[in-house]
Amino acid sequence: MSTPHIERGVAATPGQPTQDALTHEELQLAGRNHSMPIEALQEDITPAGLHYLLVHFDVPFLSAESWRLRLGGAVSNPLELSLEDLKARPAVTMPVTLECAGNGRALLQPRPLSQPWTLGAVGTAEWTGTPLAPLLEEAGLASDAVELVFTGADRGIQGGAEEQYARSLTVAEARHPEVMLVYAMNGQPLPPQHGFPVRLLVPGWYGMASVKWLTSIEAVTSRFMGYQQAVAYHYLQGPDGPGLPVSHIRVRSLMVPPGIPDFFTRRRVVDAGPVMIRGKAWSGHGEIERVEVGIDGEWMPAHLDDPLGDFAWRSWSMVWVARPGEHVLRCRAMDSSGALQPREQVWNYQGMGNNMAQRVEVTVR
Ligand SMILES: Nc1nc2c(c(=O)[nH]1)N[C@H]1C(S)=C(S)[C@@H](COP(=O)(O)O)O[C@H]1N2
Ligand SMILES: [Mo]
């Protein structure tokens, strides 16, 4: 692990690591973009209002009537679709866990300056929409098309570049059957902040791939180099890239902190005796195969419930007989690729893919 260069007492530069107190800029982002309250992990489906939220620029308020999706570029048959056109197509409803690639960023030392997530940048909604692959088929991708660029209606400046929010997928990635254009969340039209009227949903990938307020899909014949694709969302050791791109969600588990919280510190207080520890585990690299709970450093297997879906978190539980005193609870999951959550996180410059085993300090009385 390389030790990053830290500057103190200078104006905040996004992406720069810091050990200073939370900055005004981070507070501003934290107020706009909220976590899922961690106790909502007890629900299989996260109510829309409790689902985490991340908006880079401003929420665009779009009209369902005048909204159109253009599918063009390197295609033989460009399409222009209304919301009614999409709703008339075959519909699929699926529970999908979304997690922000920056989840856990604020726990890193030093802290990369950006949205300062602790652990709650995750949620699982039931999304309804229509699969993308048949639409690509209808549009007739040119034989030299290599990627599809998905562009949202929101615009802003990041890293000095003024752009619409846009991300790409390779043709092969975009053709996966689970990739959808979704127009409903938990049975209701998408709320404005979650992409009304239509967003892309890329199950198994970190959230940045699921472009909200989608207005255009363009087939391109060379790799897309937009900011959100080529600069942001990379595993880097310093400001100069390129580094590996962030894509699928790394295996992670979280528990509902037991007992009751202290208001200010959120430290937990639990009564002695049997305590049911529960939580969720998920991965974009395969099924969850094992969850372990660590009590003061001793790891024990948790019970796994049946999976909720191929791209949704899985419930787990374990009974802990709590004895009076101070305790540290942790949890970690392993997926079918063999990946296991680390006990300590390897630092990276943008604070991406932090899946360190959660730590919950508990006082048993
Ligand atoms: N158009 C657009 N799409 C976007 C974003 C955005 O700012 N603009 N944020 C992305 C990121 S980084 C994440 S983590 C998810 C968050 O989705 P949610 O707010 O519905 O939870 O949306 C992604 N799609
Ligand atoms: Mo994100």
Side-chain angles (χ1 to χ4, degrees), residues 51-54 56 100 154 165 194 199 207 210 212-213 233:
H51 193 281
Y52 87 93
L53 178 69
L54 184 65
H56 281 71
C100 180
D154 50 330
Y165 184 93
H194 291 294
R199 79 183 298 173
S210 293
K212 305 194 268 192
W213 313 292
Y233 302 105

Side-chain angles (χ1 to χ4, degrees), residues 167 205 208 223 229 232-236 242-248:
R167 290 272 314 178
W205 284 56
M208 73 285 161
R223 280 181 52 205
Q229 189 71 27
Y233 302 105
H234 280 75
Y235 294 110
L236 303 169
L244 286 174
V246 173
S247 61
H248 295 78

Side-chain angles (χ1 to χ4, degrees), residues 80-165:
E80 187 173 297
L81 300 148
S82 68
L83 183 57
E84 291 314 308
D85 295 335
L86 285 185
K87 286 185 173 172
R89 301 181 64 90
V92 175
T93 296
M94 194 163 56
V96 173
T97 298
L98 280 186
E99 183 182 10
C100 180
N103 198 18
R105 172 184 290 131
L107 304 179
L108 292 174
Q109 283 284 347
R111 183 176 82 253
L113 278 175
S114 184
Q115 168 70 29
W117 296 122
T118 55
L119 291 175
V122 64
T124 300
E126 232 163 3
W127 301 95
T128 302
T130 195
L132 175 64
L135 279 165
L136 299 178
E137 199 60 37
E138 258 178 67
L141 294 183
S143 57
D144 59 347
V146 294
E147 288 192 351
L148 292 140
V149 181
F150 300 87
T151 304
D154 50 330
R155 187 177 186 80
I157 301 166
Q158 211 181 338
E162 182 181 328
E163 280 177 357
Q164 306 287 121
Y165 184 93

